[in-house]
Amino acid sequence: MDQSFIDEMEKALMDEKTELLASLSTNNVAFKQIMETMDPGDSIDEAADTIDRKMLDAISAKDMNKLQLIDNALARIKQGKYGLCMKCGKMIPEERLRAIPYAVLCVTCKSADERRSR
């Protein structure tokens, strides 16, 4: 795999990581604001606040998972293993890595995993 492509992907991963960290920080502030403004006397507002809290938790969990995938991809770059399918060991096509820079499986292995999951 071309070094300029790997450098490009490393920059894309770092940019995405920066955005995610900013999003997590924003969500954390929003979560604190919801908690501070909750009025325990109103059950309708309490239900809405609970839904808001659960939604923020889900977003944060999804973002945290994506952050871990990005960190793993950055580690693979440092190890010289970036772009190799974790299942079959073949090169992941550049087009796939441009679309999903933290991809760990080639299209064939990912498709096989999805078929098994159904």
Side-chain angles (χ1 to χ4, degrees):
M1 192 168 285
D2 184 87
Q3 186 60 44
S4 64
F5 174 75
I6 291 174
D7 292 343
E8 177 186 339
M9 291 297 95
E10 184 174 22
K11 182 184 178 334
L13 287 162
M14 291 301 294
D15 290 347
E16 195 162 348
K17 181 177 180 176
T18 300
E19 286 178 32
L20 271 173
L21 290 173
S23 172
L24 287 170
S25 174
T26 300
N27 286 342
N28 191 22
V29 169
F31 181 75
K32 286 179 184 175
Q33 288 174 344
I34 288 171
M35 293 302 292
E36 290 170 359
T37 60
M38 277 184 63
D39 180 9
D42 190 346
S43 61
I44 294 173
D45 284 343
E46 189 174 320
D49 289 338
T50 300
I51 291 168
D52 287 344
R53 236 180 317 168
K54 287 182 180 182
M55 201 162 47
L56 284 171
D57 285 345
I59 291 169
S60 293
K62 182 180 177 185
D63 285 347
M64 289 302 293
N65 184 42
K66 192 172 184 181
L67 185 61
Q68 184 63 52
L69 291 170
I70 290 170
D71 284 340
N72 291 345
L74 291 168
R76 287 192 306 279
I77 288 174
K78 286 183 178 38
Q79 297 167 353
K81 296 179 180 179
Y82 182 74
L84 296 176
C85 178
M86 301 284 283
K87 198 167 222 177
C88 70
K90 294 180 183 176
M91 293 297 295
I92 299 171
E94 287 185 11
E95 298 81 28
R96 176 162 172 75
L97 291 171
R98 283 188 199 283
I100 308 169
Y102 46 83
V104 295
L105 299 175
C106 66
V107 175
T108 303
C109 291
K110 182 66 175 172
S111 295
D113 273 3
E114 288 176 352
R115 278 193 301 274
R116 271 193 297 273
S117 295
R118 289 184 199 161

